[in-house]
């Protein structure tokens, strides 16, 4: 089992209460650049907090995640948002240039392997309309980073420190970018 398989196993079965839920929302730097009813893709929507926030701001939102349980709960809470099971490390189920904006919070660094990041970003850009916005918010690690990679310990034979996790790291550096495609 490789790191991508371990990530997919973890994130498709993680308890909903453990998911990062709405810790970081797009702000005015993004919202002021979008017209009402703009189409937005929320990548790794999890428990749907960011998708709901964007919907409340008057945007047409589609959320994707690999956690079916989370998507089922999201659909129950808000039927005005489209929720689809999809894996960012694979081809997304959308036509080219489908969205005015793609929002990615705590997915590229915290969920997928570095080897898959470049391909994932290319796929996100593929589904963006010309002059669309790609909003990315990341942290250097998530609170459950160590737990996720314990799943791979028996396969890799590596301890947690070999997987670039530092227990002494008390600061999580947020990275936020709005990129116009």
């Amino acid at each position: 089992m490789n790191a991508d398989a371990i990530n997919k196993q973890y994130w498709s079965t993680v308890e909903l209460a453990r998911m990062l839920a709405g810790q970081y929302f797009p702000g005015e730097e993004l919202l002021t650049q979008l017209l009402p009813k703009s189409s937005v893709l929320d990548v790794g929507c999890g428990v749907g907090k960011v998708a709901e926030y964007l919907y409340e701001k008057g945007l047409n939102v589609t959320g994707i995640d690999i956690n079916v349980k989370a998507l089922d709960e999201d659909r129950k809470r808000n039927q005005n948002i489209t929720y689809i099971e999809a894996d960012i490390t694979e081809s997304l189920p959308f036509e080219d240039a489908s969205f005015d904006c793609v929002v990615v919070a705590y997915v590229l660094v915290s969920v997928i392997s570095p080897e898959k990041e470049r391909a994932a970003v290319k796929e996100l850009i593929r589904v963006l309309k010309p002059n669309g916005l790609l909003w990315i918010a990341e942290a250097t690690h998530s609170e459950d980073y160590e737990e996720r990679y314990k799943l791979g310990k028996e396969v890799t034979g590596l301890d947690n420190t070999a997987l670039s996790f530092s227990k002494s790291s008390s600061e999580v550096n947020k990275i936020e970018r709005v990129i116009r495609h």
Side-chain angles (χ1 to χ4, degrees):
M1 183 181 296
N2 63 26
D4 293 316
I6 293 165
N7 277 335
K8 189 167 188 172
Q9 176 186 341
Y10 178 82
W11 285 108
S12 62
T13 60
V14 67
E15 295 175 37
L16 303 187
R18 299 257 332 159
M19 295 181 115
L20 295 172
Q23 292 186 0
Y24 205 56
F25 293 101
E28 294 303 312
E29 78 286 347
L30 175 71
L31 298 174
T32 58
Q33 298 183 60
L34 295 170
L35 297 173
K37 303 295 181 190
S38 290
S39 58
V40 179
L41 177 63
D42 179 5
V43 177
C45 64
V47 294
K49 297 296 185 191
V50 172
E52 291 170 7
Y53 169 80
L54 294 169
Y55 174 77
E56 290 168 4
K57 296 292 184 183
L59 303 169
N60 291 328
V61 182
T62 299
I64 63 169
D65 205 288
I66 61 172
N67 190 306
V68 176
K69 191 183 297 184
L71 294 171
D72 288 344
E73 291 299 315
D74 294 342
R75 288 182 192 109
K76 288 176 189 173
R77 264 194 331 279
N78 193 328
Q79 296 177 356
N80 295 308
I81 298 172
T82 302
Y83 290 103
I84 298 171
E85 181 184 1
D87 185 342
I88 188 176
T89 65
E90 300 171 4
S91 180
L92 295 176
F94 307 108
E95 299 289 326
D96 293 355
S98 295
F99 297 94
D100 297 306
C101 178
V102 174
V103 170
V104 188
Y106 300 103
V107 173
L108 294 176
V109 172
S110 301
V111 177
I112 64 175
S113 68
E115 297 80 21
K116 297 275 185 162
E117 287 174 9
R118 184 178 304 268
V121 170
K122 285 182 181 179
E123 186 64 6
L124 299 179
I125 290 170
R126 180 189 69 77
V127 302
L128 265 179
K129 292 179 181 177
N131 293 311
L133 297 169
L134 174 59
W135 183 85
I136 301 170
E138 288 296 340
T140 54
H141 70 273
S142 59
E143 291 175 8
D144 58 359
Y145 185 91
E146 180 180 21
E147 181 181 325
R148 286 187 290 126
Y149 284 98
K150 282 181 183 177
L151 292 172
K153 183 177 179 183
E154 62 190 53
V155 175
T156 63
L158 301 174
D159 65 22
N160 293 327
T161 57
L163 292 163
S164 300
F165 178 80
S166 172
K167 289 183 182 179
S168 64
S169 176
S170 60
E171 295 234 356
V172 175
N173 299 316
K174 291 181 179 173
I175 303 165
E176 179 180 353
R177 296 186 187 129
V178 177
I179 303 167
R180 184 166 297 276
H181 167 61

